[in-house]
C-alpha cells in the first residue's frame, strides 16, 4: 500500500462535518496509513454536526508533531472549538514548522490562521472564512484543492475526492 509506515493525525472536536472527518480517515487507512484521531482532551468522544460520534485516540496535549507525518483538520464548526485549545493550535503550528503536511478543509482554515501559518500562502476553504484567512495574510483562491508547499486545502465535501487524493499523493512522495 502507498502509505505503509505513514502516521497521520486527524484532529477532532464537537460539531465536525461528518464527511470531512470520516472520508479522509478512511481513505488514509485504505492506503495503509496509521491514523490517530486527536481531540482537545475535553472528552473521549466528539459529536458531529448531525450527532455522529468519533472517538479520540489521544489528546492533543499527549502528542507532538514528531509523532506524525501529517495533520488533517476537518471542517464544520469544529475548528472554531479547536482553536480555543492551545495544544491543538500548537500541534498544527509545530507540524507546519517541521515541514510536515498540514491539510485543512472547509472551516479548518481557521486553524491555519490561528496557528499563524498562512501568511503569503495560497489557501482555499469554505467561502465564509475568506476574510479570516485573507486578514491573516493568505492569498485566497477558489479551487477544489490547493497545494502550497506543505499545506493542502479544500473547500467543501464535494471536493473530498480531490482533497484525499492530494493528501495521499503528497504522503506517498514524502
Amino acid at each position: 500500500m502507498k502509505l505503509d509506515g505513514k502516521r497521520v493525525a486527524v484532529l477532532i472536536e464537537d460539531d465536525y462535518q461528518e464527511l470531512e472527518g470520516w472520508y479522509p480517515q478512511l481513505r488514509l487507512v485504505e492506503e495503509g496509513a496509521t491514523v490517530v484521531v486527536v481531540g482537545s482532551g475535553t472528552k473521549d468522544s466528539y459529536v458531529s454536526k448531525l450527532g455522529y460520534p468519533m472517538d479520540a485516540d489521544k489528546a492533543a496535549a499527549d502528542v507532538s508533531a514528531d509523532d506524525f507525518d501529517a495533520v488533517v483538520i476537518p471542517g464544520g464548526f469544529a475548528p472554531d472549538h479547536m482553536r480555543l485549545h492551545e495544544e491543538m493550535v500548537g500541534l498544527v503550528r509545530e507540524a507546519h514548522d517541521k515541514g510536515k503536511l498540514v491539510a485543512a478543509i472547509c472551516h479548518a482554515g481557521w486553524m491555519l490562521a490561528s496557528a499563524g501559518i498562512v501568511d503569503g500562502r495560497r489557501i482555499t476553504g469554505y467561502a465564509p472564512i475568506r476574510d479570516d484567512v485573507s486578514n491573516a495574510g493568505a492569498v485566497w483562491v477558489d479551487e477544489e484543492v490547493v497545494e502550497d508547499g506543505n499545506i493542502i486545502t479544500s473547500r467543501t465535501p464535494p471536493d473530498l475526492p480531490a482533497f484525499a487524493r492530494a493528501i495521499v499523493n503528497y504522503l506517498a512522495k514524502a
Side-chain angles (χ1 to χ4, degrees):
M1 294 199 241
K2 287 183 184 180
L3 302 183
D4 282 342
K6 301 292 183 181
R7 291 182 48 86
V8 179
V10 172
L11 302 188
I12 199 67
E13 242 298 348
D14 283 336
D15 298 321
Y16 72 92
Q17 202 289 333
E18 297 76 19
L19 293 173
E20 295 168 0
W22 286 100
Y23 188 101
Q25 178 189 19
L26 296 172
R27 188 67 189 90
L28 290 163
V29 167
E30 181 180 48
E31 289 293 344
T34 299
V35 175
V36 178
V37 178
V38 177
S40 63
T42 58
K43 51 172 74 177
D44 295 327
S45 188
Y46 298 86
V47 211
S48 74
K49 290 175 16 179
L50 298 178
Y52 293 96
M54 182 181 277
D55 294 340
D57 300 309
K58 299 274 186 176
D62 298 329
V63 299
S64 79
D66 291 331
D67 299 328
F68 304 106
D69 299 291
V71 174
V72 177
I73 313 162
F77 298 116
D80 203 28
H81 302 304
M82 288 176 196
R83 61 189 181 160
L84 296 174
H85 301 278
E86 181 51 40
E87 298 87 359
M88 295 191 93
V89 175
L91 179 61
V92 171
R93 183 183 308 113
E94 181 186 12
H96 170 268
D97 291 351
K98 290 186 175 209
K100 298 179 184 236
L101 175 62
V102 176
I105 187 167
C106 195
H107 286 85
W110 278 337
M111 279 290 283
L112 305 182
S114 291
I117 62 172
V118 297
D119 192 26
R121 306 296 285 275
R122 293 178 68 245
I123 300 291
T124 196
Y126 185 49
I129 71 163
R130 177 183 181 160
D131 290 346
D132 301 312
V133 296
S134 294
N135 288 335
V139 177
W140 182 266
V141 293
D142 183 16
E143 298 173 11
E144 70 177 353
V145 67
V146 175
E147 296 183 53
D148 187 337
N150 63 327
I151 297 177
I152 295 174
T153 53
S154 272
R155 299 173 300 195
T156 58
D159 298 331
L160 279 164
F163 181 61
R165 187 170 40 255
I167 295 168
V168 168
N169 289 339
Y170 183 99
L171 290 173
K173 295 176 193 170

